[in-house]
Amino acid sequence: MPSALKNSLDRMRSTLAGFSIAQKTIAVILLAALVLGSVALVSWLTKPTYTPLFSGIDPVDASAIVEQLKADGVPYQLTAGGQTILVPEANVYQERLTAAAAGLPSTGGDGGYSLLDTMGVTSSEFQQDVTYKRAIEGELAKTIMAMDGVKTASVQLAIPEESVFVSEQADPTASVFVETQGGATLTDKQVQAIVNLTSASVEGMATTDVAVTDAAGTVLSQVGTGAVGGATGQAGDYESKVQASVQSMLDKVVGAGNSSVVVAADLDQNSGTRVTESFSAPTSGPIALNESSTTEQYGAGGAGADGTGSTGVLGPDNIAVPNGTTTAADGSSTTTGGDDGYVNESATKNNAVDKTTETMSVPAGTVSRQTISVAIDAGVGGNVNLQSINDLVSNAAGVDTARGDAVEVALVNFDTSGAEAAKAALAEADKAAAAEQMWNTIRTVGSIAAVAIAAIIGFIVLAKRSRRQAREDVDLGELRAGNAAQTWDATMPLDIGDSASRRMLVDDTATRLPVDAPEPSPEFVSAERKRAEIDAMAERDPEKTAELLRGLMDQKAGA
C-alpha cells in the first residue's frame, strides 16, 4: 500500500477513534442520509418513462398482451382498471408492431370493412348483403367508441330490401347501444352527434329513425321523435343565455349581488313546413294573359236559316216564320219581331296578378312563451325606477307580449344571513389554511435548520478535533523541557544563522530567563534556533510548514 494512502487511512482512523458517542451518531446519520439520497437520486434518474401501449382494451386482449410482454421481458404497468397498459417509452413501437403481428388487440380488427377481406367469390347475394351490413355496423361502432366517455358501442341496422313489387318503400332504422366509462352520462350534444353520424352513414335514413340506449337502460333517442331530453337541454341553454344577459345589465345598474333574475321559457318542439301564398296587383297596370270574344247576330244584317239574310222567328213545331209572323197550331200567325234582328256579344279577358309563394321550414325549439322575474334588493334599489328596469329587461330578453311573454320586477328585502355565514366560514377557512401553511413552513424551516445546525456542529467538532490533534503533533514542548534541564554555559559561543533569528532568540531568551541566569548550552541554543527558524518559516509559508511537520510526524510514528 502506498505510504500516502496508508497515512491518510491512519489519520482517518485516529480521527474517528477520537470521536465521542454524539459525534459518531451524527456522523452515522449524515452518512446514512447521504447514501439514501444518492440511492434515491440514482433510482429516479434511471427509472424509465412509461407510455400507454394500448388503452380502453378488452380484458381478454389485455391478458394476451401482458403474456406477450412477459415473454419479451418488457416491464409493464396496468392502469384504469386493467384497460390501459403502460410500457417503457423505448419499447412502445416495437411492442405495438409485435402485438399487431399477433393479431392483438383482436377487438380492433373484429368487424368493420375487414369482414369483406375474407369474403369468397362463391358467396351468395344474401351473404354479401349481410356481410356489408355488418361491416357498416362495425365501422359505426368503432367511430362511436372514439368519442370521449364512450367505453363500448354496438350498432344494429334494419335496412329494408328493395323490391319493385312494393309501392311504398319503408325507411331504414338503426339502434345504437352505448356503454359509458365510469357510469358517466352522455350530453345532449353527444347523443345528437351519434344520431347524426348514424343517420348520415345509411342512405335514406333520417335523424328521427335512430334509437340510442345506454347501459343503464335509459332511452337517449327514440324512433319517430329523435333525441329524448333535447327540449330540456335547449330550454336550459336559452334560459341561461337570457338570464346571463339580464343579470349582467342589472349588475351595472344596481350593483353586483343586489339583484336576482329567473327566466322560464317554453320551447315548441313541433317542426314542419309552412307554405304561404300572397297576391297583389301588378304595379305597371293589368296585363292580359289571354283574351277571347264571341258575337251572335240574328235579323237585319245577319244571315238567316235559308240563306237569304232573313232569319224569321221560330213558330210552332220549330218552324221558322219569316218577317216575324208566327203561325199557331190552329193556323193563326203572329208577328213578333221587326227588322232590327238579334245581337249577342261576349268577351273573356284574364289579367295577370302578382303571386308570391313562400315555403319555410319551421324547426323545433322555437320559443313559444317566456316569463322573467327580477328581484331587486330594497336596501339599494329604493331610488330605482321600476318601469325603467322593466323596459330594460324586456328589451334585453327580447320579450314579445303578443305571444304571451311577461316581465315582473319587484323590490324585496334580501336575506343576507346565509351570505354572511358563508363569508365568515370562508374567512375561517382561509385563516385555517394560512395557519396550516405557516406551520408547515415553520416545520420545514425547523427541520432544515436542525439538520443544518447538526451538520455545522459536527463539522465544527471535527475541525476542532483535527486542529487540537495537529497542535499536539507539532508542539515542541518536549524539546523545551529537555533544553530547560540543560545548564547555562555563558562561555559557550552562540552560532545563530541570520540576524533575524538572533533577534528572535535574544528576545525569547530575555523573556524566559532571568538576568543572572547562566548562558545556555549549545544543545539548548541549537534547539531554540530550530524553533525560531520553524516559527519564521510558519509565518512565511504556513502550508509548506504544515506539510513538513506532517512528514516529520509520519516518520516519528513509523520509527
Side-chain angles (χ1 to χ4, degrees):
M1 181 182 293
S3 60
L5 180 60
K6 182 179 179 182
N7 296 333
S8 299
L9 293 176
D10 292 340
R11 286 197 301 271
M12 185 180 299
R13 192 180 298 108
S14 62
T15 301
L16 294 175
F19 280 6
S20 63
I21 296 178
Q23 293 174 346
K24 291 181 180 179
T25 303
I26 294 174
V28 171
I29 292 174
L30 293 177
L31 182 61
L34 180 62
V35 171
L36 293 177
S38 301
V39 171
L41 180 61
V42 173
S43 176
W44 179 73
L45 292 176
T46 57
K47 183 179 180 180
T49 302
Y50 282 83
T51 304
L53 179 65
F54 295 105
S55 59
I57 58 177
D58 190 80
V60 177
D61 296 330
S63 176
I65 294 174
V66 167
E67 293 297 331
Q68 172 192 324
L69 294 177
K70 290 181 180 179
D72 296 342
V74 178
Y76 65 91
Q77 294 179 356
L78 296 177
T79 59
Q83 295 183 357
T84 300
I85 302 177
L86 304 178
V87 297
E89 188 175 2
N91 304 102
V92 171
Y93 300 106
Q94 180 62 36
E95 291 302 320
R96 284 180 181 174
L97 293 176
T98 304
L104 297 173
S106 59
T107 54
D110 186 14
Y113 290 116
S114 59
L115 295 174
L116 302 177
D117 299 335
T118 60
M119 184 180 297
V121 295
T122 59
S123 301
S124 63
E125 182 178 359
F126 175 76
Q127 291 177 333
Q128 293 177 0
D129 294 340
V130 172
T131 305
Y132 179 70
K133 186 171 72 69
R134 289 179 57 197
I136 297 177
E137 293 172 351
E139 292 295 330
L140 286 173
K142 289 192 293 184
T143 305
I144 295 173
M145 289 170 59
M147 292 184 177
D148 293 338
V150 178
K151 181 180 178 180
T152 57
S154 176
V155 180
Q156 302 293 330
L157 300 179
I159 303 177
E161 183 180 358
E162 296 182 359
S163 175
V164 296
F165 301 103
V166 178
S167 59
E168 294 183 1
Q169 186 71 28
D171 295 332
T173 58
S175 61
V176 181
F177 174 81
V178 178
E179 181 181 2
T180 57
Q181 296 178 355
T185 303
L186 296 179
T187 62
D188 295 338
K189 293 182 179 180
Q190 289 178 313
V191 174
Q192 192 63 39
I194 294 175
V195 171
N196 293 337
L197 177 67
T198 305
S199 62
S201 301
V202 180
E203 182 181 0
M205 182 179 294
T207 56
T208 56
D209 296 333
V210 181
V212 182
T213 307
D214 62 2
T218 304
V219 178
L220 305 178
S221 177
Q222 57 186 359
V223 176
T225 59
V228 178
T232 304
Q234 292 179 359
D237 294 341
Y238 177 80
E239 292 171 355
S240 300
K241 180 180 178 181
V242 175
Q243 181 178 355
S245 301
V246 176
Q247 188 67 61
S248 177
M249 179 197 64
L250 291 177
D251 288 343
K252 297 179 181 179
V253 176
V254 298
N258 297 323
S259 62
S260 178
V261 180
V262 176
V263 179
D266 295 333
L267 302 184
D268 186 5
Q269 297 303 313
N270 296 325
S271 61
T273 302
R274 180 182 299 170
V275 179
T276 304
E277 293 185 354
S278 59
F279 300 90
S280 62
T283 57
S284 60
I287 300 174
L289 294 178
N290 52 60
E291 183 177 359
S292 63
S293 62
T294 58
T295 303
E296 296 180 357
Q297 183 176 0
Y298 298 96
D306 55 358
T308 60
S310 177
T311 58
V313 180
L314 290 178
D317 300 328
N318 291 332
I319 298 175
V321 179
N323 296 325
T325 302
T326 301
T327 303
D330 54 358
S332 61
S333 62
T334 304
T335 303
T336 59
D339 296 336
D340 292 338
Y342 168 77
V343 178
N344 181 19
E345 295 181 357
S346 63
T348 302
K349 185 177 183 181
N350 295 326
N351 294 328
V353 179
D354 290 342
K355 178 182 178 181
T356 303
T357 302
E358 294 181 355
T359 302
M360 181 176 58
S361 178
V362 180
T366 58
V367 179
S368 59
R369 185 176 182 271
Q370 66 175 344
T371 57
I372 303 174
S373 301
V374 178
I376 300 177
D377 189 2
V380 297
N383 298 326
V384 176
N385 189 346
L386 297 182
Q387 184 59 39
S388 299
I389 297 295
N390 195 317
D391 296 339
L392 291 175
V393 172
S394 300
N395 293 330
V399 173
D400 186 4
T401 56
R403 66 184 178 188
D405 296 353
V407 177
E408 184 67 26
V409 180
L411 291 176
V412 296
N413 294 321
F414 280 17
D415 184 9
T416 59
S417 59
E420 293 177 355
K423 184 178 180 180
L426 183 60
E428 290 293 334
D430 293 340
K431 185 177 179 180
E436 182 67 21
Q437 184 177 3
M438 182 183 67
W439 282 112
N440 290 335
T441 304
I442 292 175
R443 284 193 292 267
T444 303
V445 174
S447 301
I448 296 174
V451 174
I453 291 173
I456 292 173
I457 292 174
F459 285 125
I460 291 175
V461 172
L462 291 176
K464 288 183 177 181
R465 180 71 178 177
S466 300
R467 285 199 299 271
R468 184 169 62 252
Q469 291 179 354
R471 285 197 300 270
E472 292 176 357
D473 292 339
V474 300
D475 193 4
L476 300 178
E478 296 178 359
L479 294 177
R480 288 196 298 269
N483 292 331
Q486 300 293 333
T487 58
W488 184 270
D489 190 359
T491 61
M492 185 68 64
L494 295 175
D495 186 12
I496 300 177
D498 52 1
S499 58
S501 300
R502 286 197 299 272
R503 287 195 301 271
M504 293 175 62
L505 179 59
V506 171
D507 296 338
D508 186 70
T509 54
T511 57
R512 292 187 293 106
L513 297 176
V515 178
D516 57 349
E519 294 182 0
S521 64
E523 291 81 6
F524 177 79
V525 174
S526 177
E528 291 295 328
R529 184 181 62 186
K530 291 180 179 180
R531 181 177 178 276
E533 290 176 355
I534 291 173
D535 292 338
M537 184 182 296
E539 292 178 358
R540 290 193 303 270
D541 194 354
E543 296 181 357
K544 185 176 181 182
T545 303
E547 186 67 27
L548 292 175
L549 291 176
R550 281 195 291 269
L552 292 174
M553 289 187 294
D554 294 337
Q555 292 177 3
K556 182 179 178 181

